[in-house]
Amino acid sequence: MIDVSAFNEALGIMFSSVGSWGWIVPGLIVGLVFSAIPGISITMAMAIVLPMSLYMDFFSAIVFLTSVYTGAGFGGSVPAILMNIPGSPSSFATTFDGYAMSQKGEHNEALGYALFASTLCGIAGYVLLLLVIEPLADIVLRIGPVEMFAVAIWGMMLLGSLGSTYISRGLLAAALGILLGTVGMNTAGFTRGTLGLPVLLDGIAPIPAMIGLLAASQLLSLASRDYIIEAEGSREVSLRKILKGCWGTLKYPGVLLRGSIIGIIIGAVPGVGSSIGNLIAYAETKRTAKDSATFGKGNPKGVIAAESAVASGEGGSMATMLALGIPGGGATAILIAAFMMHNIVPGPSFIETQKPMVYAIILNNIVQAIVLLAVGIGFIYVASNIMKVRTRYVLPAILVIATLGTFAVTGEAAGPITLFVFALLGYALNRYQYPVSAVVVGILLGRMLETEFLRSYQLSGGNPLYVLERPGAMAIFAVMFISLGMTAWGKRKQNRAEAAEALALRQIQEETRAAHTTPSKG
Amino acid sequence: MRIGRHSYAIDYGHLALITFIAALVFWYLLDARSVSLSVNNLLLVQPVAIFALAMYLFIVPQCFHKVEAREAAKPSSENDPFAVSLSTDRADVMRMAALGVSLGLMVFLLDVIGFDIAIFLFAAAAMAICGERRPLHLLFFSLAVTLVTIYGFRALISYPMHTTLL
């Protein structure tokens, strides 16, 4: 399952580029700090530090960014456990039992469970990736342009349909992203949508656009708050109790395994990601547990299930990114941008030609998960204070860094201007519940989609029935339409149920109000 | 707005956003068609643009809410911790708009007045917008942001960065 010679070369890459190891701890700290601040997401953290990686060599850049990703996976659980406020959506399920444990005075143990589950399942996700990347490479090499186009369209459809409450808004966002990604000169030599600006001939600069959409737009919306979050007082932190929690995690191997499997599968599907994976893992663990009645009241299994899915989801999403070159969400979209900045295109040919590098990236992520254990414990000590930073200090500093970051990428004012334009667009899209990540991925994949579609058209000679000769593509299209139909049906059902529930709630409130007002009249 | 027996509330902001997107898509389609009608040019752009315009027509009715339905929908969104909870309070919206304007001014003035002055003015303006009123804090924190970012990025990047004082 493992190409031994490539594996040995990977070890050589790791030990010959010792400088890259130095980026693990800063990356983890950046990820932990940013994701512990509610309102600042993993993707925002990665988008802000992305330009810095331009000046590193390729391996160091990927080590740094994946360290941010790894740190962010756990960072969000700290405020989730201590304050019932998930630092990022992927820590939502951690609040259910984590905060309940915290209220019982078991916050140290809860943090220990979360940290050790994150470490173990982060490693599990990447070990599995290490084992499957070789067979996966053989499969993806058989993928032609038609299948590649089908997979990319499927990914966009999923991102669009699952990233928002409204499927139609998600699909419009995905279509807008694809169109923005095709601005400039296409592979056939036609130039569109440049407004006569030479800077747009190569298309919209994806990194400034991404930083604007994912980071700056969110930061603008924080201007109305004095503190990013009104935090409770800090709680006493005990290393002994945290380690006790870490040790206690090993008592639940079944929960860890289930959470990991769910996390890996969900993480590998574009558009779904860890924000849903942790909820599914939690629900499944609760459903199958004998003591399901204690879930939500401080059951450690709830914390472990949620955190294991978040941590292992990273390995799953990296599998899709490395094998197909398709980002599963915002964070992997940024990793793809980092690959592109170093003129490397992830996907089938990357795995085939750079197998030692792929192994080195995976092995380094395993190291990161181990280092997280030490850095994470240190971080818990300072975490409760981080959340009390006033926006008046955070906002100007981060916005200036983001702006200069885009300048560092483009070397001209076009970068900051792109950031500004897309920050406004991102703000407006967020305001009306359009999934911004669908636009980002569209911008990244637009050019690739058009190229693969053109190749398919040229191969088929313009005959649409050519797709019938490609069973793989047909299967992907079939799955795409079925999953889209099921999502639409599910959301319709969910919306109806929510509307009925809201109506019932309103009736109860009105009845209660009427019951309270009637005696006073009398 | 009243249609028949029902009262409708129009979400003008949402309507303006999707109309802007639809206009942008329509212009892009026309621009692409004006370049060439070759299949190699329009193979992806035309169907995706038409799909986006179809989605626009599908979304437009979502900008019109029955007044009663809108009121009923409010509590459910309040219960969702991940619902987009951007403040609609006038003062908050003004703050966000002011921050957006000052970001735009900084971006467009970077090459005109120099990165150092533009960053200093933006940092001070952003702090003031977020509520800082103490002059010394405004001065020293903005100065610190300017010095750290200018010297930090100058050490990091190879492009010339136009500055007036630093």
Side-chain angles (χ1 to χ4, degrees), chain A residues 40-49 72 210-211 214-215 329-334 437:
Chain A
I40 297 184
S41 61
I42 299 171
T43 43
M44 203 193 286
M46 290 178 73
I48 290 165
V49 297
M210 193 184 276
I211 298 175
L214 294 173
T332 36
I334 289 162
S437 58

Side-chain angles (χ1 to χ4, degrees), chain A residues 463-497:
Chain A
N463 179 11
L465 295 177
Y466 175 72
V467 78
L468 297 175
E469 296 168 28
R470 310 289 302 190
M474 269 171 48
I476 295 165
F477 277 123
V479 172
M480 179 178 90
F481 285 117
I482 291 168
S483 65
L484 200 67
M486 281 174 71
T487 310
W489 183 70
K491 285 206 167 170
R492 197 181 167 84
K493 214 171 135 185
Q494 188 186 342
N495 286 344
R496 279 186 182 171

